[in-house]
Amino acid sequence: MHGRPRTAPKPEDSADSAVRVEKLRSLQSQFLSDHHNKIYTKEALEVNAKLLEINPEHYTAWNYRKLAVEHRLSESEPDPDSVKSILSEELRVVESALKQNYKSYGAWHHRKWVLSKGHSSIDHELRLLGRFQKVDPRNFHAWSYRRYVAALMNRSEVDELQYTTDMINTNFSNYSAWHNRSILLSNLLKRKVQGFFPKEKVLNEEYELVHQALFTDPDDQSAWFYHLWLLDQTVKADAPLLISSWPAHDSNLILSGDRCLDDCALSAFNTFRSDSGTIPLVLYFSQAVEGVNSCTVSVESVFNTKGELTWEPLSTNNSQTAQVWVTHLNYPEEKLHSSEAYYPVEVRVGHSQGIISSSGFHYNHPSMFAFKVFVRSVEKDPAEHGGEMISWRDENFLLYETRPQESNPLYYLDQLNIKDSHEQTSSMWRAETIANEIALFRELLSEINCKIGKLTLARLLVAHDTLLSPCANKMVYSEEVIELYSDLMKLDPPHLQYYKDEYSLALLQQITFSRESLLRYCFRHIDETSSFMSNSICLRLNNLSLSRMGSIEKLLWVQMLDLSHNELRSIEGLEAIQLLSCLNLSDNKLSSFTALGPLRQLKSLKVLDVSRNEIGLHSIDTTRYLCSSPLSHTEEIDWNRDEIVTGDVNLRNCWEAFLIFRGLNLTQLDIMGNAVADEKFKSFLVKIVPTLKWLDGGELH
């Protein structure tokens, strides 16, 4: 229980415990016999009740009672008094078990099941809850059950909200009450119930309430978590917005089938090379949505000659709800070799209803973006640059500088995200609220050294920059945020990984915020076999101590990405960068092939370096599953178990690698320095990736 220290058992307690154990064994033996023989007599149920009174966590015993109740109800005549008597006895048994352990999952679940049958007094349930919540006001089982009972009673959410107010005023350190309050308020605000609209007025009152708790006891975390929820309600727009796309609005896309196109007049930021005959079209929303299809998104283009386009969610768990959606425009092969011309494309999003966020809000800001595709007629010289290996050494990169004949890259970088008018004109209330909170917590931190206070200040500063930076064209607090997370890493080692992740997100937001800051990380790649300088631009985010990826909506244009020498354990989010053809993930902390799951959706990927990670070092990837089996994964449900790969490697031991690499068309792969990378495994890779030309720096024959 909360705050109750453990005490060493006394000798007499040990003797009582031995007697209790013997009694428990006897009851359990009799109960299992009754259960096996499907005996549901009154005597058998009494044995079961005694067992549950001693051990309320016995799930099988609770399930037996359900079977017994169903059996007795089916045998009895439709007599309301008889039914009520049977169900009342069940409630009595549950109440007796809860007195022994009022946090028993099985007991609370059984009580819900009994109540769902009807014939029971719901008013009595509220009185019972009142008694239990006096014993432990923070018992989340009781709060969950209270929500269930309140729904059955059609009890007003306003009345329930007042109950949470009373409980919080009695004791600020009631996390469950704060949590229940957030659930109730979310519903009331969403439905715009009288007295809970406008949203700004309600949230102002909530800020005043939570401030009382925070300044009364800054060391208690309950109110801090509620403040985080309030901050989220303040900053986040209810309805989803389209925040980025590729191609970008008003851009001129230069399309070429030649991988090595080098024209000084062209900008590498708007040049796309495709050998597949398709152009990806990417929509990036502010939150996960469903309903993106040819009815809700219209595309007008000469490429779309076959009618409706198929939109796919870029999700790693086969969900039909995703933040990023993609389709492909097909262009005829002959256009690549015909006379040069521009082909306009216009995309309209949300002009018909149907796009809905996972929280139930409709996309209600119809938007349009347009771009032009310039098909470049190029004759490919087979003698030039047919199959050189890509090298990631520092000498192969030069800091990007605009060529005299080249169009301004800053123009294209400025178009990479959609400037939505609804976001730019953030309400004065939001700005004032965040500013007031920042001032308040600066004052608090000037008096006490509070870790969670520093964390909250960092979140507030990020919220400020998120709200106001599009209008101010600068990030005011980015350096301070990074410094705060650096301090928290030292002050609070148990939560080091969380602070590293937040530090990474803040750093990436700073890097990608402006055109000038992003260009400092853009490099031209030089072909090491000749003096030729390719037109490829590599975004080098290496050696930054990144543990998590973020700001992906600003990186949809990237075709070559260097993330080496970081601390990445996951690459979640990279699946949105549909143009990505070259990726360096070497010298990170990727511990299994399942961490590479997003790569399966990068159909343009040709070059991959995952050398010197921790793949194969850990027998089980505990961040994803506890049992090493493909059945543990939702994204692998399309696995054809009849697929056979011959060779010395047992597919059962390498199914993760098989599922990741089998659908990729890699020409170059580096995997050395991982525990899994022995000769047998490399032979296995060559068999499942027939397009490979280079493996660990060696050319395949």
Side-chain angles (χ1 to χ4, degrees):
M1 300 304 171
H2 298 289
R4 299 183 187 179
R6 294 180 180 271
T7 57
K10 299 177 182 178
E12 56 270 24
D13 293 335
S14 299
D16 291 342
S17 180
V19 173
R20 179 188 174 97
V21 168
E22 186 59 35
K23 182 181 179 182
L24 183 62
R25 285 175 178 166
S26 174
L27 289 170
Q28 181 158 294
S29 176
Q30 181 60 50
F31 153 68
L32 291 175
S33 175
D34 293 338
H35 189 16
H36 178 73
N37 295 302
K38 298 182 180 180
I39 299 174
Y40 303 127
T41 62
K42 181 179 179 181
E43 292 75 15
L45 285 170
E46 287 176 354
V47 169
N48 174 273
K50 291 177 182 177
L51 174 62
L52 286 170
E53 188 173 346
I54 298 174
N55 181 16
E57 295 300 325
H58 203 309
Y59 281 86
T60 305
W62 288 117
N63 289 334
Y64 167 82
R65 291 200 75 86
K66 291 181 178 67
L67 293 173
V69 169
E70 295 287 5
H71 176 76
R72 295 178 67 192
L73 289 177
S74 66
E75 280 193 338
S76 62
E77 296 181 1
D79 177 10
D81 292 336
S82 177
V83 172
K84 187 174 182 180
S85 174
I86 293 171
L87 297 178
S88 296
E89 173 62 15
E90 290 305 300
L91 293 176
R92 186 198 65 78
V93 171
V94 173
E95 189 170 342
S96 178
L98 287 173
K99 288 177 181 177
Q100 176 68 22
N101 178 12
Y102 49 84
K103 291 190 175 181
S104 167
Y105 284 90
W108 286 109
H109 289 163
H110 192 70
R111 197 169 190 90
K112 277 187 181 180
W113 180 82
V114 174
L115 224 60
S116 70
K117 296 289 184 182
H119 309 284
S120 302
S121 170
I122 300 179
D123 292 332
H124 171 73
E125 298 304 297
L126 282 182
R127 291 193 293 272
L128 176 69
L129 281 168
R131 294 203 301 271
F132 278 121
Q133 289 184 310
K134 282 182 181 178
V135 176
D136 182 5
R138 296 178 288 189
N139 183 351
F140 71 91
H141 296 278
W143 281 97
S144 175
Y145 187 68
R146 184 180 185 90
R147 287 193 292 274
Y148 177 76
V149 171
L152 287 180
M153 296 177 64
N154 291 321
R155 183 173 160 86
S156 164
E157 288 182 318
V158 176
D159 292 341
E160 283 296 289
L161 186 69
Q162 182 57 48
Y163 179 76
T164 66
T165 305
D166 296 339
M167 296 295 283
I168 288 169
N169 287 335
T170 301
N171 180 7
F172 284 139
S173 181
N174 192 334
Y175 178 86
S176 295
W178 288 109
H179 172 68
N180 201 49
R181 189 175 188 85
S182 68
I183 293 174
L184 293 166
L185 266 179
S186 295
N187 294 334
L188 291 167
L189 290 171
K190 184 176 180 179
R191 301 200 328 263
K192 297 182 179 179
V193 173
Q194 185 177 2
F196 293 87
F197 184 80
K199 178 179 179 179
E200 292 79 3
K201 173 180 175 295
V202 178
L203 293 185
N204 278 337
E205 294 172 355
E206 293 303 301
Y207 273 114
E208 291 178 9
L209 176 64
V210 80
H211 289 161
Q212 296 177 40
L214 292 174
F215 281 80
T216 300
D217 186 4
D219 292 326
D220 184 77
Q221 295 187 6
S222 302
W224 289 102
F225 282 106
Y226 188 71
H227 187 275
L228 174 61
W229 176 80
L230 279 179
L231 178 59
D232 187 56
Q233 298 301 305
T234 302
V235 175
K236 188 176 73 174
D238 291 332
L241 297 167
L242 181 65
I243 58 174
S244 184
S245 73
W246 194 90
H249 176 55
D250 204 26
S251 61
N252 295 321
L253 176 65
I254 301 169
L255 185 65
S256 168
D258 189 341
R259 178 178 174 274
C260 302
L261 178 64
D262 182 42
D263 187 334
C264 292
L266 304 179
S267 170
F269 292 95
N270 69 322
T271 302
F272 175 60
R273 290 169 289 276
S274 173
D275 297 320
S276 63
T278 62
I279 304 172
L281 180 56
V282 182
L283 301 179
Y284 202 114
F285 293 90
S286 59
Q287 51 187 295
V289 298
E290 62 181 17
V292 177
N293 51 51
S294 57
C295 295
T296 55
V297 180
S298 64
V299 180
E300 296 181 14
S301 164
V302 295
F303 297 133
N304 187 20
T305 57
K306 295 182 180 179
E308 295 183 354
L309 294 171
T310 301
W311 288 90
E312 298 289 341
L314 289 179
S315 169
T316 57
N317 60 3
N318 278 337
S319 170
Q320 289 304 304
T321 301
Q323 194 171 359
V324 189
W325 288 74
V326 65
T327 191
H328 291 83
L329 298 176
N330 296 304
Y331 63 91
E333 180 68 25
E334 61 269 15
K335 289 189 181 293
L336 191 60
H337 303 287
S338 62
S339 59
E340 300 172 355
Y342 276 107
Y343 298 93
V345 181
E346 184 176 283
V347 182
R348 295 181 177 273
V349 182
H351 289 269
S352 297
Q353 287 289 312
I355 299 177
I356 306 174
S357 71
S358 54
S359 54
F361 289 96
H362 286 265
Y363 182 87
N364 54 17
H365 301 312
S367 52
M368 183 275 288
F369 64 94
F371 56 92
K372 294 179 181 178
V373 178
F374 178 53
V375 177
R376 179 87 173 185
S377 178
V378 176
E379 292 296 329
K380 186 171 181 178
D381 185 353
E384 283 191 355
H385 318 292
E388 296 88 350
M389 184 181 70
I390 298 293
S391 174
W392 296 96
R393 294 198 299 267
D394 288 342
E395 54 264 32
N396 291 99
F397 295 95
L398 286 179
L399 187 64
Y400 181 87
E401 293 181 358
T402 308
R403 301 172 183 177
Q405 305 94 329
E406 187 176 356
S407 53
N408 187 358
L410 298 182
Y411 171 75
Y412 296 104
L413 289 175
D414 193 39
Q415 298 171 319
L416 294 177
N417 61 308
I418 293 173
K419 305 292 193 301
D420 190 279
S421 59
H422 300 277
E423 285 293 290
Q424 286 189 24
T425 55
S426 302
S427 70
M428 187 63 69
W429 170 80
R430 289 182 177 182
E432 289 178 355
T433 299
I434 298 299
N436 291 339
E437 293 299 297
I438 290 173
L440 197 67
F441 286 102
R442 288 196 191 282
E443 179 184 346
L444 177 64
L445 290 173
S446 68
E447 299 174 0
I448 61 169
N449 187 17
C450 176
K451 289 180 291 189
I452 198 166
K454 285 191 173 185
L455 176 59
T456 302
L457 178 60
R459 289 167 171 163
L460 285 165
L461 297 177
V462 169
H464 175 278
D465 281 349
T466 301
L467 280 174
L468 299 182
S469 56
C471 301
N473 290 320
K474 63 178 180 178
M475 295 185 68
V476 179
Y477 295 120
S478 60
E479 289 293 343
E480 185 178 357
V481 170
I482 290 172
E483 185 179 344
L484 280 168
Y485 282 122
S486 298
D487 290 344
L488 285 166
M489 290 183 209
K490 302 170 186 174
L491 290 172
D492 191 12
H495 300 103
L496 177 65
Q497 191 57 51
Y498 173 79
Y499 299 133
K500 279 186 175 182
D501 288 350
E502 293 301 306
Y503 172 92
S504 300
L505 294 179
L507 181 60
L508 287 168
Q509 187 179 23
Q510 183 187 63
I511 289 171
T512 60
F513 171 72
S514 70
R515 301 165 296 177
E516 291 77 8
S517 61
L518 190 56
L519 274 177
R520 288 197 287 269
Y521 295 86
C522 293
F523 291 76
R524 287 190 185 274
H525 182 260
I526 306 172
D527 191 307
E528 66 173 354
T529 61
S530 70
S531 59
F532 171 83
M533 182 182 292
S534 74
N535 202 36
S536 295
I537 297 299
C538 180
L539 180 64
R540 303 197 74 194
L541 301 176
N542 55 325
N543 287 295
L544 295 176
S545 299
L546 299 176
S547 63
R548 180 182 174 184
M549 286 304 298
S551 298
I552 301 292
E553 71 277 7
K554 305 287 186 68
L555 306 178
L556 301 183
W557 56 276
V558 175
Q559 299 180 51
M560 190 174 191
L561 179 61
D562 186 357
L563 291 170
S564 62
H565 296 87
N566 282 300
E567 300 176 18
L568 293 172
R569 288 179 165 82
S570 165
I571 57 170
E572 184 180 359
L574 290 190
E575 65 273 8
I577 311 179
Q578 287 289 294
L579 308 189
L580 201 57
S581 61
C582 301
L583 176 62
N584 187 359
L585 293 169
S586 63
D587 298 281
N588 275 280
K589 295 185 177 181
L590 300 170
S591 61
S592 72
F593 285 112
T594 56
L596 301 177
L599 299 184
R600 298 176 64 197
Q601 302 189 53
L602 297 177
K603 303 306 180 184
S604 298
L605 192 64
K606 302 294 183 184
V607 177
L608 175 64
D609 188 345
V610 290
S611 56
R612 295 177 298 280
N613 275 272
E614 300 174 4
I615 301 172
L617 190 62
H618 311 285
S619 58
I620 294 179
D621 180 10
T622 54
T623 63
R624 294 289 305 280
Y625 54 88
L626 296 178
C627 176
S628 183
S629 162
L631 301 178
S632 305
H633 294 266
T634 53
E635 72 253 44
E636 274 83 58
I637 62 172
D638 63 338
W639 180 35
N640 182 358
R641 289 155 180 79
D642 295 327
E643 292 188 60
I644 303 296
V645 178
T646 58
D648 297 330
V649 176
N650 188 337
L651 183 56
R652 289 179 298 177
N653 298 328
C654 299
W655 65 267
E656 294 171 312
F658 176 71
L659 291 170
I660 297 298
F661 289 113
R662 64 166 179 163
L664 297 180
N665 295 312
L666 297 175
T667 58
Q668 178 179 326
L669 174 63
D670 291 275
I671 198 169
M672 67 178 75
N674 290 283
V676 73
D678 56 21
E679 291 305 316
K680 285 185 177 181
F681 183 75
K682 291 180 182 179
S683 299
F684 170 75
L685 286 176
V686 172
K687 285 182 171 61
I688 64 172
V689 190
T691 54
L692 270 183
K693 296 179 180 178
W694 302 86
L695 180 61
D696 282 341
E699 188 172 5
L700 300 174
H701 301 286

